[in-house]
Short mmCIF file of all heavy atoms in Angstrom, two decimals:
data_model
loop_
_atom_site.label_atom_id
_atom_site.label_comp_id
_atom_site.label_asym_id
_atom_site.label_seq_id
_atom_site.Cartn_x
_atom_site.Cartn_y
_atom_site.Cartn_z
N VAL S 1 0.80 -1.22 -0.02
CA VAL S 1 0.00 -0.07 -0.04
C VAL S 1 0.89 1.27 -0.04
O VAL S 1 1.52 1.50 1.00
CB VAL S 1 -1.00 -0.01 1.18
CG1 VAL S 1 -1.88 1.22 1.17
CG2 VAL S 1 -1.75 -1.28 1.26
N ALA S 2 0.98 1.88 -1.17
CA ALA S 2 1.98 3.04 -1.32
C ALA S 2 1.50 4.17 -0.45
O ALA S 2 0.26 4.46 -0.38
CB ALA S 2 2.08 3.38 -2.76
N GLY S 3 2.44 4.90 0.18
CA GLY S 3 2.21 6.15 0.87
C GLY S 3 1.76 5.99 2.30
O GLY S 3 1.45 6.86 2.94
N LEU S 4 1.74 4.77 2.75
CA LEU S 4 1.24 4.54 4.18
C LEU S 4 2.53 3.96 4.96
O LEU S 4 3.28 3.11 4.48
CB LEU S 4 0.14 3.60 4.26
CG LEU S 4 -1.21 3.95 3.64
CD1 LEU S 4 -2.23 2.85 3.74
CD2 LEU S 4 -1.66 5.16 4.16
N SER S 5 2.59 4.29 6.22
CA SER S 5 3.59 3.86 7.08
C SER S 5 3.10 2.41 7.59
O SER S 5 1.98 1.92 7.39
CB SER S 5 3.87 4.63 8.30
OG SER S 5 2.69 4.57 9.14
N LEU S 6 4.01 1.61 8.13
CA LEU S 6 3.67 0.33 8.72
C LEU S 6 2.56 0.38 9.80
O LEU S 6 1.66 -0.26 9.85
CB LEU S 6 4.92 -0.39 9.34
CG LEU S 6 4.69 -1.74 9.88
CD1 LEU S 6 4.18 -2.77 8.93
CD2 LEU S 6 6.07 -2.28 10.54
N SER S 7 2.66 1.48 10.65
CA SER S 7 1.67 1.73 11.61
C SER S 7 0.38 1.97 11.04
O SER S 7 -0.77 1.50 11.40
CB SER S 7 2.10 2.94 12.55
OG SER S 7 1.12 3.00 13.50
N ASP S 8 0.32 2.83 9.91
CA ASP S 8 -0.94 3.12 9.24
C ASP S 8 -1.62 1.77 8.73
O ASP S 8 -2.80 1.54 8.67
CB ASP S 8 -0.71 4.04 8.05
CG ASP S 8 -0.35 5.44 8.52
OD1 ASP S 8 -0.71 5.78 9.57
OD2 ASP S 8 0.43 6.17 7.76
N VAL S 9 -0.71 0.98 8.16
CA VAL S 9 -1.24 -0.30 7.42
C VAL S 9 -1.83 -1.25 8.56
O VAL S 9 -2.97 -1.86 8.25
CB VAL S 9 -0.06 -0.98 6.72
CG1 VAL S 9 -0.51 -2.36 6.31
CG2 VAL S 9 0.27 -0.16 5.45
N ILE S 10 -1.14 -1.33 9.68
CA ILE S 10 -1.79 -2.08 10.74
C ILE S 10 -2.99 -1.64 11.21
O ILE S 10 -3.99 -2.43 11.42
CB ILE S 10 -0.67 -2.12 11.93
CG1 ILE S 10 0.59 -2.95 11.54
CG2 ILE S 10 -1.40 -2.71 13.19
CD1 ILE S 10 1.72 -2.87 12.54
N GLN S 11 -3.24 -0.27 11.43
CA GLN S 11 -4.47 0.22 11.77
C GLN S 11 -5.54 0.07 10.76
O GLN S 11 -6.63 -0.19 11.12
CB GLN S 11 -4.27 1.81 12.26
CG GLN S 11 -3.40 1.99 13.48
CD GLN S 11 -3.35 3.41 13.70
OE1 GLN S 11 -4.34 4.02 14.19
NE2 GLN S 11 -2.18 4.03 13.63
N LEU S 12 -5.11 0.29 9.56
CA LEU S 12 -6.09 0.14 8.43
C LEU S 12 -6.62 -1.33 8.36
O LEU S 12 -7.91 -1.50 8.30
CB LEU S 12 -5.46 0.62 7.13
CG LEU S 12 -6.31 0.40 5.83
CD1 LEU S 12 -7.53 1.35 5.80
CD2 LEU S 12 -5.41 0.62 4.55
N ASN S 13 -5.72 -2.24 8.46
CA ASN S 13 -6.25 -3.67 8.45
C ASN S 13 -6.97 -4.07 9.69
O ASN S 13 -7.77 -4.86 9.60
CB ASN S 13 -4.99 -4.53 8.15
CG ASN S 13 -4.44 -4.49 6.72
OD1 ASN S 13 -5.06 -5.23 5.84
ND2 ASN S 13 -3.46 -3.72 6.37
N GLY S 14 -6.59 -3.43 10.79
CA GLY S 14 -7.31 -3.76 11.90
C GLY S 14 -8.71 -3.19 11.85
O GLY S 14 -9.74 -3.90 12.21
N ASN S 15 -8.96 -2.02 11.37
CA ASN S 15 -10.28 -1.39 11.18
C ASN S 15 -11.09 -2.24 10.12
O ASN S 15 -12.37 -2.19 10.18
CB ASN S 15 -10.28 0.04 10.79
CG ASN S 15 -9.59 0.91 11.94
OD1 ASN S 15 -9.72 0.55 13.03
ND2 ASN S 15 -9.02 2.08 11.54
N ASN S 16 -10.48 -2.79 9.13
CA ASN S 16 -11.11 -3.52 8.14
C ASN S 16 -11.37 -4.99 8.52
O ASN S 16 -11.85 -5.72 7.61
CB ASN S 16 -10.34 -3.38 6.80
CG ASN S 16 -10.32 -2.00 6.24
OD1 ASN S 16 -11.18 -1.19 6.48
ND2 ASN S 16 -9.35 -1.71 5.40
N GLY S 17 -11.07 -5.42 9.62
CA GLY S 17 -11.21 -6.84 9.97
C GLY S 17 -10.43 -7.85 9.38
O GLY S 17 -10.81 -8.93 9.09
N PHE S 18 -9.23 -7.42 8.96
CA PHE S 18 -8.28 -8.27 8.11
C PHE S 18 -7.79 -9.59 9.04
O PHE S 18 -7.65 -9.60 10.18
CB PHE S 18 -6.97 -7.50 7.90
CG PHE S 18 -5.90 -8.28 7.18
CD1 PHE S 18 -5.94 -8.68 5.95
CD2 PHE S 18 -4.71 -8.53 7.92
CE1 PHE S 18 -4.96 -9.34 5.33
CE2 PHE S 18 -3.64 -9.15 7.34
CZ PHE S 18 -3.76 -9.57 6.06
N SER S 19 -7.82 -10.69 8.28
CA SER S 19 -7.31 -11.96 8.83
C SER S 19 -6.18 -12.40 7.84
O SER S 19 -6.35 -12.42 6.67
CB SER S 19 -8.30 -13.05 8.84
OG SER S 19 -9.35 -12.63 9.85
N GLY S 20 -5.02 -12.65 8.43
CA GLY S 20 -3.89 -12.99 7.64
C GLY S 20 -2.63 -12.59 8.35
O GLY S 20 -2.50 -12.49 9.55
N CYS S 21 -1.64 -12.32 7.52
CA CYS S 21 -0.18 -11.97 8.10
C CYS S 21 0.43 -10.76 7.26
O CYS S 21 0.05 -10.64 6.09
CB CYS S 21 0.67 -13.18 7.91
SG CYS S 21 2.36 -12.91 8.37
N ILE S 22 0.97 -9.93 8.05
CA ILE S 22 1.77 -8.85 7.48
C ILE S 22 3.26 -9.33 7.68
O ILE S 22 3.69 -9.45 8.84
CB ILE S 22 1.52 -7.53 8.01
CG1 ILE S 22 0.14 -6.99 7.76
CG2 ILE S 22 2.52 -6.41 7.47
CD1 ILE S 22 -0.10 -5.61 8.39
N THR S 23 3.95 -9.53 6.53
CA THR S 23 5.34 -9.94 6.58
C THR S 23 6.33 -8.64 6.46
O THR S 23 6.03 -7.90 5.42
CB THR S 23 5.74 -10.98 5.57
OG1 THR S 23 4.94 -12.11 5.96
CG2 THR S 23 7.17 -11.35 5.66
N VAL S 24 7.20 -8.39 7.25
CA VAL S 24 7.99 -7.16 7.23
C VAL S 24 9.50 -7.66 7.06
O VAL S 24 9.97 -8.41 7.82
CB VAL S 24 7.85 -6.31 8.44
CG1 VAL S 24 8.60 -4.98 8.31
CG2 VAL S 24 6.41 -6.05 8.74
N GLN S 25 10.25 -7.07 6.04
CA GLN S 25 11.58 -7.39 5.97
C GLN S 25 12.42 -6.10 6.08
O GLN S 25 12.17 -5.07 5.53
CB GLN S 25 11.85 -7.98 4.47
CG GLN S 25 13.31 -8.36 4.27
CD GLN S 25 13.45 -9.14 3.07
OE1 GLN S 25 12.49 -9.39 2.27
NE2 GLN S 25 14.73 -9.57 2.67
#
């Protein structure tokens, strides 16, 4: 997701009810 920080992505997926994994390298 371009233009978003990792914290933003975590909050976005949390609000959207995401199930799965975020892999960070």
Side-chain angles (χ1 to χ4, degrees):
V1 184
L4 297 180
S5 69
L6 179 59
S7 182
D8 290 334
V9 171
I10 289 172
Q11 293 186 69
L12 178 64
N13 283 279
N15 293 336
N16 289 339
F18 175 69
S19 292
C21 175
I22 298 179
T23 298
V24 186
Q25 184 169 358

